[in-house]
Amino acid sequence: PLATALVAFELPEKVNNVAFRNTMATKCNVILRQTGATWNGMRISAHIFNTEADIDAALKAIGAELS
């Protein structure tokens, strides 16, 4: 069976998860989901059509936006 990993990560307190999600989508073409109102985090999930290069690019973009 095909399966994908769901990864969640916590954002720094100063980072608004709605704004971060919007920035990642418009600026970096990385689609994230908010984890909810009680935890300032995001979720990302790769799928079979994502390459290692796609995942590396997403991680690099997330890191760049948070630095």
Side-chain angles (χ1 to χ4, degrees):
L2 299 175
T4 62
L6 177 68
V7 177
F9 58 95
E10 187 172 13
L11 294 169
E13 286 184 25
K14 66 180 181 174
V15 178
N16 178 281
N17 61 7
V18 174
F20 185 76
R21 181 200 65 205
N22 293 340
T23 297
M24 294 304 299
T26 57
K27 182 177 175 183
C28 307
N29 198 31
V30 174
I31 306 303
L32 302 171
R33 295 266 187 201
Q34 297 160 246
T35 56
T38 60
W39 187 63
N40 191 34
M42 303 301 301
R43 298 182 327 201
I44 188 168
S45 164
H47 204 281
I48 193 164
F49 54 77
N50 295 112
T51 66
E52 286 185 39
D54 292 336
I55 295 167
D56 289 342
L59 293 175
K60 184 176 180 180
I62 291 168
E65 284 301 315
L66 291 176
S67 64

